[in-house]
Amino acid sequence: MDTKLADLKLKPYLLAELNQLGYEVVRDMQHLSDVEILRIPGMGGRDWRKVAGALGRKPYP
């Protein structure tokens, strides 16, 4: 879980938004629910699947 968000090759504007919110590694987002993550501006389906996989969550319930 020490994967950096930059290593996930997210969209540049989403990566900038996550960094502004204080998230630099995947572990920082672990306390957020799936719904809260999807409400982050710029978070789309493809990026969500990458983040969910890195968090060890199933992107499809």
Side-chain angles (χ1 to χ4, degrees):
M1 286 237 198
D2 289 339
T3 305
K4 292 187 177 189
L5 291 171
D7 295 341
L8 296 178
K9 298 182 180 174
L10 303 174
K11 294 175 187 162
Y13 56 87
L14 175 60
L15 187 58
E17 179 72 26
L18 293 172
N19 286 335
Q20 284 182 346
L21 293 172
Y23 305 123
E24 294 188 12
V25 294
V26 175
R27 184 175 16 122
D28 295 340
M29 299 180 72
Q30 188 173 7
H31 71 281
L32 297 174
S33 70
D34 297 341
V35 174
E36 291 172 325
I37 293 174
L38 285 168
R39 286 185 180 158
I40 296 172
M43 182 67 73
R46 182 179 299 156
D47 295 321
W48 160 240
R49 287 189 293 274
K50 291 178 184 178
V51 171
L55 285 170
R57 300 179 187 176
K58 293 182 181 180
Y60 302 109

